[in-house]
Amino acid sequence: MLRSLSIVAVLTAFAGAQDASLKFRSVAPGVWAADVGAPEPFSLLSVAGGSPMVAAMKALPDASFPFAKGSARGWARGGQSSLRFPLGAGEDVYGLGLGFKHVRRNRQIMTLHMDHWGATPGRTHAPVPFWVSSQGYGVLVDSARYVRVWVGTSLRKDAEDPPPLRDRNRDRNWQAHPRSDSIDILVPAPGARVYVFAGPTPLDAVRRFVLFSGGGAMPPRWGLGFTHRTPTRFTAKQITAEVDAFDAHGFPLDFIGLEPGWHSAAYPCTFEWDRERFPDPVGVVKALLDRRVRVNLWMNPYVRPGCALHKKLSPHAASHLVWNGIIPDYEVPAARELFTTHLEKETVGIGVSGFKIDEVDGFDSWLWPDVARFPSGLAAEQIRQTYGLRLQVMMYDLFKKRDRRTWGLVRGTNAGAARLPFVIYNDAYSHQDFIRALCSSSFLGVLWTPEVRSSKTGEEWLRRMETVCFSPMAMLNAWSSGTRPWSFPEVEDRVREVALLRMRLMPYLYTAFAEYRFRGVPPMRAMPLVDGWADVGDAATRRERVQDQFFVGDAILVAPLFAGESKRSVLLPKGRWYDFYTGALIGTGGVHEVAPKDGRMPVFVKEGGMVPLGPPLLRAPKPGEGIALEIRHYGNHASRRRLYSDDGETFAFERGEHGWADLIVDLDESGQRTGRIENEDPRFHRYTSVTWRFLGR
Amino acid sequence: MLRSLSIVAVLTAFAGAQDASLKFRSVAPGVWAADVGAPEPFSLLSVAGGSPMVAAMKALPDASFPFAKGSARGWARGGQSSLRFPLGAGEDVYGLGLGFKHVRRNRQIMTLHMDHWGATPGRTHAPVPFWVSSQGYGVLVDSARYVRVWVGTSLRKDAEDPPPLRDRNRDRNWQAHPRSDSIDILVPAPGARVYVFAGPTPLDAVRRFVLFSGGGAMPPRWGLGFTHRTPTRFTAKQITAEVDAFDAHGFPLDFIGLEPGWHSAAYPCTFEWDRERFPDPVGVVKALLDRRVRVNLWMNPYVRPGCALHKKLSPHAASHLVWNGIIPDYEVPAARELFTTHLEKETVGIGVSGFKIDEVDGFDSWLWPDVARFPSGLAAEQIRQTYGLRLQVMMYDLFKKRDRRTWGLVRGTNAGAARLPFVIYNDAYSHQDFIRALCSSSFLGVLWTPEVRSSKTGEEWLRRMETVCFSPMAMLNAWSSGTRPWSFPEVEDRVREVALLRMRLMPYLYTAFAEYRFRGVPPMRAMPLVDGWADVGDAATRRERVQDQFFVGDAILVAPLFAGESKRSVLLPKGRWYDFYTGALIGTGGVHEVAPKDGRMPVFVKEGGMVPLGPPLLRAPKPGEGIALEIRHYGNHASRRRLYSDDGETFAFERGEHGWADLIVDLDESGQRTGRIENEDPRFHRYTSVTWRFLGR
């Protein structure tokens, strides 16, 4: 019927099919950009809005362009654009979206698509189109489209390193998946901008990406404390009682999360207090603040018919609805202004300290379809990829304007989010998946919490509590279960011990975040971002262990136990390693089977590592509050570390109001260690006492 | 950093965001077309290449446009186009790609993407963007792009039938998925053409779609016989011995499939005979033909370096490779010519009767990436969606040129394929999934075989054999297992019985295919395409049974048993129903629990139904061969049916060389039935005897 038309198509479409080398230009120290086609001005980084920290980038090791420039190629044609990067034999690829099942991405084919969990790889809460190569560089495709990626599966006629040709009829070594020498990308848009981040190490590449995005997020000190989210229908009174119960049980609590029930109606939301449950919102927030407990408020951004915001935002809303609520288009500046003004008045202005931004990820069946139209004229796909990012920027700016730091939660984010003080969470609950996500997050400039919600057994409860206390947010999310830290009496003491360890680790963790903020070093890191990792084990062991152990700060290696396990295998990087708790020598780099006698989660420190600990407080220290400091040093090895401090609550630290002290351990002639602190800033480094503990011989 | 650019994007992109009513124009009886944006000339139907059978469409019941025209709307902007169709409360949606897990599509969100099995819904061997509404109409989106579809999940501000607003904080009836009143489509291209097919029934809509595509495929008579695919490394001698064994065991065998081993090397392929296994290809094909066994040859279309075709086709190949083989671009006419000329010489010209076209579907990790470039200038995505379709057209034309019908296999197809004599298969093996696919296929103008490969038990073997014998191709695919029909001695007799029943059903099935060819009625049909279905059961029961029972021809309802089941529930449409084998009355329309005493798969015939049976031959009858005909008539009901015949092998039937006889059963005054045949065409209706069997009272 239409047979002749295919020839017409052939003749008209035959144009521009050639690929060409990308032309890279330097845009920051160790960062190069190149364009294919005509990049769209609306991109992930344009929404994230950070400014490159050029000085910090200059301080990184000098690095030249990390691969032969001619081997990165691209084309643009017919509304699509394509990019290709080299992939060497044995080269490992990490990143490309928050992963729950995989940390390494080789041989995966993904569409990076903002979504809830559980669908295909690439559909995730942080579909960040950034990858890190084990060769020590990173690449960002700065497109707010659904970017498709083929990691080492594409075979080309012009491959530089083609696999052998085999005959399946005769050759037992025939391969269904011959090795490819490239990473291929399709951007469904007329063009895209791509950035290459030099190393020389994978960690350096991640650091450059984080610093290019504006540096990592700096929590308030209370953000590193323990947090608890109360059942959704809790009243002001019940919340007060919950704080009482934490105090009575001796469990730390720095901020408390109110779930949908604070809204007068929810799903979609009113953004107005429910006056039955909260007759005096100002009073309840103030009363909690007086007890040094902050309030975090849940929201989804869909606005309910009948509420004050609905009328204001309707002219700026999309064609579609979510749960019958309008979808404000926050790419329209007036919509941003209306929303933040309202939130400032109702929440931030009365002392609310943070938000949990829900439902900005997926599922497809909840959110708007890709056919929705937005007043800004942007495609639904572009809004979907960036909605969570935009809301974070808005909320962050709201707090920053008041010179108060915040620490919140978000369920959807994207590239450039490093500077935004929000931690990703979701509704999945496999403990193993949660740890993979924690590892995976560190490649992407995002943070993830393996939140604790409920458990089948006390053992599982403890295991989950252990890992969440080594994560960016030590959160119990009991919004639906009503569980409390002491709900399993058989492990109450052990859970309290680990929660208080979290509090004790605050000087250490706060410094780790300062390293993130100022130097781009993710506070929790997958093992390929740790020195000496590539030197131990075989490739198969590394691929396994990259999924279930991780590093925290500059000294601590965490090897989680999962329910049912009394022992596990751990792969220690090059060097000598000690048990964190006892200082016992574990051994040198390589595979170790560990079976902790006391049942505690295995935690290790490398020779020379230092862990500064504070007291086991129930709240984070107040600004300027002096604490008793204990500094643990591991192994007979002189070393030097830094200890960060600031006021813990405001942005004064960005204006230079912060201090880095030096922790120094020397060996005398007999090999005895002595420790000292230098360069303390008396405004911030306030200690009632300093104790050095030398562990490991 | 790039914050100001988002505003630029907003200003430049704000255009054309309004949707508008689609403007439909009549293009064939009961078929209307409308365009959104600028449809691409290269489309599914442009590749499929059929011509609408206007006269047959005119003979369908008169039908007006099936819904309010203004409620179908669309927009095109920024390289994307969108379509929206109404979806009523209680309206069911079928089609939208071959389904293995689902036949009904309500509440699904799919990307229709050519793929192997096992991924998300929509990724399938036949991602046909056509749906059938229970309201009695069909819609085709004729785009060769990855079309996205939201079936009743999108909520709009301007919904005509909005769901109620609920408060999750207080209302237990709050819904995570409120009902939507639309089907939404996104085509990632500047435009698309859409066709609406009137009913008045769902079957009429499917018939119009099939007839618009050029009518259904007409098999040669041997195509409906039994077929067996031999182990891949079988030699000519072993194949001969296999035919001997079938004959010795009294099992029918009409065509035999040679797997990759016929190629001198495979994956990718040479398209040249392996001279070790097949020293005399001409001789072996001829020897099999002399025994009336046809040969079907496996291929994947990727051409191996070093073979004769490789040199010829290289200039017309894509940028990428599959298993190191080139990917010829058959949208270049010269490439088609080179390939078919070669195949004609090596295979069709020496008597090969058909092909199995493998690996034209997926997985992504095997095939080319979407960044591949093709000489025709078409996008890789467009080639991916249509590659199997194009190869079918080429192979079909090759046989048609020689005036010989073929009946083959294909693993990837798309809209418009109804006329192409290929049956879809895959590598999955859940029996339940296979039956769902058989049901699903009938909405799409494609055919599916639930092939039998191997089994854990004799029972499973029998159950699979039973269903494959009621499918478009009665195939044992032993390419890897080496299983034979008699491999489970405990069920050998039962399996032989059902294989011979298949042979006996040939007059009935051949007529069913003629109804497909000339009148667009799919030979095997899901229950929503059967009269009286909507009148029985409740919605939940219909949704369950739509997945596991089906109709064959104009009289037979098949209710498969799966391994482990000795009984099952069946939902019979309105009317009186009889047991196919015994004529026992089952009852009237509604739910029946059936537990066949003899363990045979339940098969039912409706009052007035007729089943013409031939003899239990081991080969299909030769052209003009007379057979003993038995006509079974069920129930005390006068009725009239048609019986088709032609030469069984050539395309003479398309030139009028075919006959339709009338089978007529009358009741005399005492209620006794008499049967007669009228309008027999003596060239084709040749019977050595005719026996009427009146079953059911």
Side-chain angles (χ1 to χ4, degrees):
Chain A
M1 165 181 40
L2 299 166
R3 204 173 303 188
S4 62
L5 288 180
S6 65
I7 297 164
V8 175
V10 166
L11 297 175
T12 54
F14 201 137
Q18 295 310 303
D19 68 345
S21 290
L22 299 180
K23 305 287 172 233
F24 284 98
R25 59 190 185 280
S26 173
V27 292
V31 184
W32 297 265
D35 291 349
V36 62
E40 297 180 294
F42 182 86
S43 76
L44 301 175
L45 294 186
S46 83
V47 176
S51 298
M53 293 177 63
V54 176
M57 297 172 85
K58 273 189 189 148
L60 282 169
D62 205 30
S64 52
F65 195 85
F67 51 82
K69 278 191 188 176
S71 58
R73 304 178 70 84
W75 54 255
R77 186 191 56 184
Q80 297 185 326
S81 45
S82 166
L83 295 156
R84 165 153 60 92
F85 288 83
L87 181 68
E91 186 172 350
D92 291 313
V93 174
Y94 304 100
L96 292 172
L98 189 67
F100 293 90
K101 297 297 178 192
H102 303 275
V103 175
R104 184 172 169 270
R105 294 301 190 184
N106 294 61
R107 292 218 55 77
Q108 294 207 312
I109 298 172
M110 296 188 280
T111 299
L112 292 165
H113 186 304
M114 180 66 75
D115 205 348
H116 210 14
W117 55 283
T120 49
R123 284 211 174 228
T124 177
H125 311 271
V128 183
F130 174 77
W131 75 85
V132 181
S133 160
S134 59
Q135 296 296 307
Y137 63 91
V139 178
L140 171 70
V141 181
D142 185 24
S143 168
R145 298 283 178 174
Y146 301 146
V147 171
R148 277 174 258 169
V149 190
W150 291 256
V151 185
T153 64
S154 306
L155 302 181
R156 283 189 331 285
K157 285 201 293 195
D158 66 355
E160 284 167 28
D161 183 12
L165 177 68
R166 296 179 191 275
D167 174 13
R168 194 176 183 185
N169 288 346
R170 287 177 182 78
D171 186 345
R172 282 178 172 277
N173 295 319
W174 177 85
Q175 293 174 300
H177 293 112
R179 194 183 79 74
S180 138
D181 66 356
S182 64
I183 297 174
D184 294 272
I185 292 133
L186 190 80
V187 180
R193 180 160 299 165
V194 63
Y195 296 91
V196 168
F197 299 85
T201 68
L203 177 59
D204 292 325
V206 170
R207 292 178 64 189
R208 270 184 230 273
F209 173 48
V210 169
L211 292 170
F212 190 70
S213 309
M218 187 68 205
R221 204 171 254 120
W222 59 259
L224 298 181
F226 201 87
T227 182
H228 175 63
R229 302 195 70 84
T230 49
T232 188
R233 288 186 187 78
F234 258 31
T235 61
K237 274 191 186 164
Q238 286 172 300
I239 288 163
T240 304
E242 196 82 348
V243 176
D244 295 342
F246 267 71
D247 286 351
H249 280 83
F251 270 89
L253 183 66
D254 261 296
F255 56 118
I256 203 155
L258 309 194
E259 289 289 322
W262 79 267
H263 292 269
S264 55
Y267 284 83
C269 302
T270 60
F271 302 93
E272 294 164 8
W273 289 88
D274 185 282
R275 294 287 166 168
E276 279 178 38
R277 282 182 284 265
F278 298 92
D280 175 20
V282 176
V284 71
V285 172
K286 185 174 180 306
L288 289 166
L289 278 177
D290 287 346
R291 296 177 71 176
R292 292 170 56 213
V293 174
R294 271 79 178 176
V295 171
N296 173 295
L297 295 182
W298 172 95
M299 69 161 81
N300 70 40
Y302 311 109
V303 182
R304 188 176 194 86
C307 76
L309 262 178
H310 188 269
K311 196 172 175 187
K312 291 180 194 162
L313 287 171
S314 280
H316 308 299
S319 56
H320 283 67
L321 301 171
V322 175
W323 295 301
N324 283 324
I326 56 167
I327 310 162
D329 182 348
Y330 292 121
E331 298 312 317
V332 176
R336 295 205 281 269
E337 182 64 27
L338 287 165
F339 188 62
T340 52
T341 300
H342 177 90
L343 276 188
E344 181 158 24
K345 181 164 164 286
E346 283 278 316
T347 63
V348 180
I350 67 167
V352 167
S353 297
F355 293 97
K356 174 185 180 185
I357 306 169
D358 209 16
E359 318 288 4
V360 290
D361 48 346
F363 299 103
D364 284 359
S365 59
W366 290 341
L367 299 199
W368 60 90
D370 292 337
V371 304
R373 285 157 290 130
F374 285 79
S376 62
L378 292 161
E381 166 183 11
Q382 294 170 298
I383 302 283
R384 176 80 175 266
Q385 295 288 65
T386 59
Y387 209 58
L389 203 50
R390 171 59 70 195
L391 276 154
Q392 288 174 79
V393 172
M394 289 161 64
M395 297 298 101
Y396 177 53
D397 288 349
L398 191 50
F399 284 100
K400 193 157 187 185
K401 202 175 73 173
R402 302 178 78 92
D403 199 26
R404 281 166 50 197
R405 278 184 250 170
T406 181
W407 202 238
L409 292 153
V410 71
R411 219 173 66 191
T413 189
N414 217 320
R419 73 186 188 94
L420 302 169
F422 292 86
V423 180
I424 315 168
Y425 68 98
N426 76 4
D427 296 344
Y429 203 53
S430 151
H431 193 188
Q432 286 86 345
D433 286 3
F434 271 20
I435 298 308
R436 280 189 281 265
L438 186 60
C439 297
S440 170
S441 68
S442 65
F443 295 105
L444 301 170
V446 299
L447 303 170
W448 163 261
T449 174
E451 67 173 47
V452 181
R453 230 175 278 151
S454 59
S455 288
K456 288 201 188 73
T457 64
E459 183 203 8
E460 183 194 338
W461 187 246
L462 173 64
R463 293 312 181 203
R464 289 180 177 275
M465 281 287 183
E466 284 173 336
T467 52
V468 85
C469 285
F470 283 89
S471 86
M473 188 181 287
M475 173 164 68
L476 169 56
N477 179 11
W479 85 286
S480 126
S481 67
T483 336
R484 288 154 173 153
W486 53 90
S487 285
F488 293 86
E490 69 272 32
V491 291
E492 178 178 344
D493 289 346
R494 304 271 301 273
V495 169
R496 187 186 296 102
E497 183 192 2
V498 74
L500 290 174
L501 175 59
R502 166 77 175 197
M503 298 306 287
R504 294 206 64 196
L505 282 166
M506 203 166 280
Y508 179 79
L509 293 174
Y510 201 61
T511 301
F513 274 91
E515 291 284 351
Y516 188 41
R517 174 67 187 84
F518 291 104
R519 300 183 186 187
V521 181
M524 287 79 196
R525 297 195 287 295
M527 297 309 301
L529 301 181
V530 176
D531 259 2
W533 175 250
D535 303 321
V536 291
D538 52 23
T541 305
R542 285 198 302 273
R543 282 176 203 171
E544 223 176 310
R545 291 289 84 76
V546 82
Q547 309 221 89
D548 65 7
Q549 60 181 61
F550 59 96
F551 218 71
V552 177
D554 66 2
I556 290 175
L557 191 158
V558 176
L561 288 174
F562 301 106
E565 295 180 358
S566 57
K567 59 187 171 114
R568 58 160 291 164
S569 188
V570 62
L571 180 59
L572 297 174
K574 206 172 166 183
R576 284 162 64 88
W577 293 85
Y578 300 88
D579 180 275
F580 164 76
Y581 309 100
T582 65
L585 177 68
I586 301 296
T588 56
V591 174
H592 293 265
E593 301 298 323
V594 291
K597 279 180 199 147
D598 57 7
R600 279 196 286 209
M601 175 173 72
V603 178
F604 308 99
V605 181
K606 194 171 171 178
E607 187 168 55
M610 285 190 231
V611 183
L613 297 169
L617 303 170
L618 300 190
R619 309 275 187 274
K622 283 184 272 202
E625 179 179 337
I627 58 165
L629 188 70
E630 172 187 325
I631 304 166
R632 296 190 185 175
H633 177 271
Y634 293 79
N636 255 18
H637 204 286
S639 60
R640 194 176 177 105
R641 296 287 186 276
R642 308 202 311 162
L643 180 64
Y644 175 83
S645 194
D646 62 20
D647 68 21
E649 296 196 354
T650 76
F651 286 91
F653 77 99
E654 291 194 345
R655 303 183 292 268
E657 306 281 305
H658 65 264
W660 290 95
D662 293 303
L663 310 182
I664 301 161
V665 169
D666 293 315
L667 292 186
D668 67 16
E669 286 160 12
S670 67
Q672 287 299 309
R673 288 171 271 179
T674 52
R676 63 203 153 89
I677 308 187
E678 288 186 1
N679 300 317
E680 294 159 278
D681 186 320
R683 294 173 301 170
F684 311 117
H685 294 105
R686 295 208 179 165
Y687 307 113
T688 53
S689 64
V690 174
T691 311
W692 287 88
R693 279 187 64 197
F694 298 108
L695 295 162
R697 315 235 130 235
Chain B
M1 166 179 36
L2 299 166
R3 205 173 304 189
S4 62
L5 288 179
S6 66
I7 295 163
V8 175
V10 167
L11 296 176
T12 55
F14 202 139
Q18 296 311 303
D19 68 345
S21 290
L22 300 179
K23 304 288 174 234
F24 285 98
R25 59 189 185 281
S26 173
V27 291
V31 184
W32 298 264
D35 292 348
V36 63
E40 298 180 292
F42 182 86
S43 76
L44 302 175
L45 294 185
S46 84
V47 176
S51 298
M53 294 177 63
V54 175
M57 297 172 84
K58 273 188 189 149
L60 283 168
D62 204 32
S64 52
F65 195 85
F67 50 82
K69 279 191 186 175
S71 59
R73 304 177 70 85
W75 54 255
R77 186 191 57 184
Q80 297 185 326
S81 44
S82 166
L83 295 155
R84 165 154 61 92
F85 288 84
L87 180 68
E91 185 172 351
D92 291 313
V93 174
Y94 304 100
L96 292 172
L98 189 67
F100 293 91
K101 298 295 179 194
H102 302 274
V103 175
R104 184 171 169 271
R105 295 302 190 182
N106 294 61
R107 292 219 55 79
Q108 294 208 310
I109 298 171
M110 297 187 280
T111 299
L112 292 164
H113 186 305
M114 180 66 74
D115 204 348
H116 209 15
W117 55 282
T120 47
R123 285 213 174 227
T124 178
H125 311 271
V128 182
F130 174 77
W131 75 85
V132 182
S133 159
S134 58
Q135 296 296 308
Y137 64 91
V139 178
L140 171 70
V141 182
D142 186 24
S143 168
R145 299 284 178 172
Y146 301 146
V147 171
R148 276 174 257 169
V149 190
W150 291 256
V151 185
T153 64
S154 306
L155 302 181
R156 284 189 330 285
K157 285 201 293 194
D158 64 355
E160 284 166 26
D161 182 13
L165 176 70
R166 296 179 191 273
D167 174 13
R168 194 176 183 186
N169 288 347
R170 288 178 181 79
D171 185 346
R172 285 180 169 275
N173 295 318
W174 178 86
Q175 293 174 300
H177 293 112
R179 195 183 78 75
S180 136
D181 65 356
S182 64
I183 297 173
D184 293 272
I185 292 134
L186 191 81
V187 179
R193 180 161 298 165
V194 63
Y195 295 92
V196 168
F197 299 86
T201 68
L203 177 59
D204 292 325
V206 170
R207 291 179 65 188
R208 270 184 230 275
F209 173 47
V210 169
L211 292 170
F212 190 70
S213 307
M218 186 69 206
R221 204 170 255 121
W222 60 259
L224 298 182
F226 201 87
T227 182
H228 176 62
R229 302 196 70 85
T230 51
T232 187
R233 288 186 186 78
F234 258 30
T235 62
K237 274 190 189 167
Q238 287 172 299
I239 287 162
T240 304
E242 197 80 347
V243 176
D244 295 343
F246 266 72
D247 287 351
H249 279 83
F251 270 90
L253 183 66
D254 261 293
F255 57 118
I256 203 156
L258 310 193
E259 288 290 320
W262 80 268
H263 292 269
S264 56
Y267 283 83
C269 302
T270 60
F271 302 92
E272 293 164 9
W273 289 88
D274 184 283
R275 294 289 167 166
E276 280 178 38
R277 282 182 283 265
F278 298 91
D280 176 20
V282 175
V284 72
V285 172
K286 185 175 180 306
L288 288 167
L289 278 177
D290 287 346
R291 296 176 70 177
R292 295 172 55 212
V293 174
R294 270 81 178 176
V295 171
N296 173 294
L297 295 180
W298 171 95
M299 70 161 80
N300 70 41
Y302 311 109
V303 183
R304 191 176 191 86
C307 75
L309 262 179
H310 187 270
K311 197 172 171 185
K312 290 179 194 163
L313 287 171
S314 281
H316 307 299
S319 57
H320 283 65
L321 301 171
V322 175
W323 295 301
N324 282 323
I326 55 167
I327 309 161
D329 183 349
Y330 293 122
E331 299 312 317
V332 176
R336 295 205 281 269
E337 182 65 26
L338 287 164
F339 188 62
T340 52
T341 301
H342 177 89
L343 276 188
E344 180 157 26
K345 181 163 164 286
E346 284 277 317
T347 62
V348 180
I350 67 169
V352 166
S353 297
F355 293 97
K356 174 185 179 182
I357 306 170
D358 210 16
E359 318 288 3
V360 289
D361 48 345
F363 297 105
D364 285 358
S365 59
W366 290 342
L367 298 198
W368 61 89
D370 291 336
V371 304
R373 285 157 291 130
F374 286 78
S376 62
L378 291 162
E381 163 184 11
Q382 294 169 298
I383 302 283
R384 176 78 175 268
Q385 296 288 65
T386 59
Y387 209 56
L389 204 50
R390 171 59 71 194
L391 277 154
Q392 290 175 78
V393 172
M394 289 161 65
M395 297 298 101
Y396 177 54
D397 288 350
L398 191 50
F399 284 99
K400 193 157 189 186
K401 201 176 73 174
R402 303 178 75 92
D403 199 25
R404 282 165 49 197
R405 279 183 248 170
T406 182
W407 200 239
L409 292 152
V410 70
R411 220 174 65 191
T413 190
N414 218 321
R419 72 186 189 96
L420 301 169
F422 293 86
V423 179
I424 314 168
Y425 67 99
N426 76 4
D427 296 345
Y429 203 52
S430 151
H431 193 190
Q432 286 85 345
D433 285 3
F434 272 21
I435 299 308
R436 280 188 280 264
L438 186 59
C439 297
S440 170
S441 67
S442 65
F443 295 105
L444 301 170
V446 300
L447 303 171
W448 162 261
T449 173
E451 67 172 47
V452 181
R453 227 175 281 151
S454 60
S455 289
K456 289 203 186 74
T457 63
E459 183 203 7
E460 183 194 338
W461 187 247
L462 173 63
R463 293 313 181 201
R464 288 180 177 276
M465 281 289 183
E466 284 173 335
T467 53
V468 85
C469 285
F470 282 89
S471 87
M473 188 180 287
M475 174 164 70
L476 168 57
N477 179 12
W479 86 286
S480 129
S481 67
T483 335
R484 287 154 176 153
W486 52 89
S487 286
F488 293 88
E490 68 273 31
V491 291
E492 179 178 344
D493 289 345
R494 304 271 301 273
V495 170
R496 186 186 296 103
E497 183 192 2
V498 73
L500 290 173
L501 174 60
R502 167 77 175 195
M503 298 307 287
R504 294 206 65 195
L505 281 165
M506 201 165 284
Y508 178 79
L509 293 175
Y510 201 60
T511 300
F513 273 92
E515 291 282 353
Y516 189 39
R517 174 67 187 84
F518 291 105
R519 300 184 185 185
V521 182
M524 286 81 196
R525 297 194 289 294
M527 298 309 301
L529 302 180
V530 176
D531 259 3
W533 175 251
D535 304 320
V536 291
D538 54 23
T541 305
R542 284 197 303 272
R543 281 176 203 170
E544 222 176 312
R545 293 288 84 77
V546 81
Q547 309 222 86
D548 66 7
Q549 60 181 62
F550 59 96
F551 218 71
V552 176
D554 66 1
I556 289 176
L557 191 158
V558 176
L561 288 173
F562 302 105
E565 295 180 356
S566 58
K567 60 186 170 118
R568 59 161 290 165
S569 188
V570 61
L571 179 58
L572 297 174
K574 205 172 167 184
R576 282 161 65 88
W577 292 83
Y578 299 88
D579 180 273
F580 164 76
Y581 309 100
T582 65
L585 176 68
I586 301 296
T588 55
V591 174
H592 293 265
E593 300 298 324
V594 291
K597 280 181 196 145
D598 57 7
R600 280 195 287 209
M601 174 173 73
V603 179
F604 307 99
V605 181
K606 193 171 172 178
E607 187 167 54
M610 285 190 232
V611 182
L613 297 169
L617 303 169
L618 299 190
R619 309 275 187 273
K622 283 185 274 202
E625 181 178 336
I627 57 165
L629 188 69
E630 173 186 325
I631 304 166
R632 297 189 185 174
H633 177 271
Y634 292 79
N636 254 19
H637 204 285
S639 60
R640 195 176 175 107
R641 295 288 185 276
R642 306 203 311 163
L643 180 63
Y644 175 83
S645 193
D646 62 21
D647 70 19
E649 296 197 353
T650 77
F651 285 91
F653 77 98
E654 292 195 342
R655 302 183 293 270
E657 306 281 305
H658 65 265
W660 291 95
D662 293 303
L663 310 182
I664 301 162
V665 169
D666 293 315
L667 292 187
D668 67 16
E669 285 160 11
S670 68
Q672 287 299 308
R673 288 171 272 179
T674 52
R676 64 201 152 89
I677 309 187
E678 286 186 1
N679 300 318
E680 293 158 279
D681 186 320
R683 295 172 301 171
F684 310 118
H685 294 104
R686 295 207 180 166
Y687 307 113
T688 54
S689 64
V690 174
T691 310
W692 287 88
R693 280 188 64 195
F694 298 108
L695 296 162
R697 322 232 124 234

